[in-house]
Amino acid sequence: MSAPIPYTQFDPTSYLLLTPEDSDAPARVARLRELGIGDTPVPEFDDFARELARITGAPYAMVNFIDENRQYFAGLYTPGEGQSGVELDPQQAQPGRVMSRDHGYCPHVIVRRKALVLEDVCDYPRFAGNPVVDEIGIRSYLGAPLIDHTGMAIGTICVVDQEPRPWGRQGLETIKSMAAQLVEGINQRDLGLRR
């Protein structure tokens, strides 16, 4: 007769809300330092985020770099009252540029190394409990990883909305194409730094 299996308490929802483990974070931080990005706003990334918002029709767009503990939006576009977008001071980080690593969906994208389309985050138990749903009112997300020429996933680009959005296949193709475009610029920047 076999020994009884020890009882362990199981919470079926506990795994749903966890931010994925990111074993590449230390190497990513070192890579971002080499590139000189990830700690301050970059005007070109703000311009890119503005264009990404325009192309997708989303009210918010980000170029995001993630370390062990936080996310930093080196490129950010947000709507302003009566404006097409908020102009941010590129010389210093403004409130809203930093978010905890356990908030949002970009940490999932960077670990998965694949684009993520959430037309309504509330349709996905794994993502519906994320703090950004209740704290910011995020209802839809579209993001893709930035994988540079070294093969490192160095960051993400994303758009979000406070309403469900039917991103569809066109949205997926757009975000992947835009990520490839930004990666090309980052690779060029890297080659320029090495010269």
Side-chain angles (χ1 to χ4, degrees), residues 11-19 108 125-129:
D11 178 359
T13 63
S14 65
Y15 74 95
L16 296 176
L17 305 179
L18 294 178
T19 301
H108 294 272
R126 176 177 189 151
F127 300 116

Side-chain angles (χ1 to χ4, degrees), residues 16-17 19-20 62 64 66 71 73 99-112 114-118 120-134 137-144 156-161:
L16 296 176
L17 305 179
T19 301
M62 287 75 91
N64 189 8
I66 303 169
Q71 304 175 65
F73 304 120
M99 186 165 41
S100 173
R101 191 178 166 278
D102 65 350
H103 283 55
Y105 309 107
C106 287
H108 294 272
V109 170
I110 205 158
V111 169
R112 290 169 26 130
K114 292 182 182 175
L116 178 62
V117 179
L118 301 172
D120 185 343
V121 298
C122 294
D123 289 344
Y124 303 89
R126 176 177 189 151
F127 300 116
N130 194 284
V132 297
V133 176
D134 292 332
I138 300 302
R139 284 294 299 274
S140 61
Y141 171 91
L142 178 63
T156 64
I157 61 168
C158 71
V159 293
V160 297
D161 200 337

Side-chain angles (χ1 to χ4, degrees), residues 46-192:
D46 283 340
D47 292 343
F48 181 89
R50 182 179 296 108
E51 181 66 6
L52 181 59
R54 186 192 68 74
I55 288 172
T56 62
Y60 302 92
M62 287 75 91
V63 177
N64 189 8
F65 298 99
I66 303 169
D67 65 23
E68 295 97 331
N69 303 307
R70 69 181 182 118
Q71 304 175 65
Y72 185 78
F73 304 120
L76 178 64
Y77 176 85
T78 61
E81 288 185 35
Q83 308 174 44
S84 60
V86 174
E87 295 300 322
L88 298 165
D89 178 3
Q91 299 305 313
Q92 57 179 295
Q94 298 292 327
R97 291 266 184 182
V98 177
M99 186 165 41
S100 173
R101 191 178 166 278
D102 65 350
H103 283 55
Y105 309 107
C106 287
H108 294 272
V109 170
I110 205 158
V111 169
R112 290 169 26 130
R113 299 171 58 91
K114 292 182 182 175
L116 178 62
V117 179
L118 301 172
E119 294 183 344
D120 185 343
V121 298
C122 294
D123 289 344
Y124 303 89
R126 176 177 189 151
F127 300 116
N130 194 284
V132 297
V133 176
D134 292 332
E135 293 174 17
I136 305 172
I138 300 302
R139 284 294 299 274
S140 61
Y141 171 91
L142 178 63
L146 299 171
I147 301 173
D148 75 356
H149 65 89
T150 69
M152 172 72 61
I154 59 170
T156 64
I157 61 168
C158 71
V159 293
V160 297
D161 200 337
Q162 293 173 315
E163 301 292 331
R165 293 285 299 264
W167 303 113
R169 177 153 299 282
Q170 180 63 41
L172 175 63
E173 293 306 318
T174 298
I175 201 77
K176 288 166 64 175
S177 170
M178 294 293 287
Q181 178 184 330
L182 185 57
V183 165
E184 182 58 33
I186 291 170
N187 287 340
Q188 293 300 319
R189 176 188 183 128
D190 185 29
L191 292 173

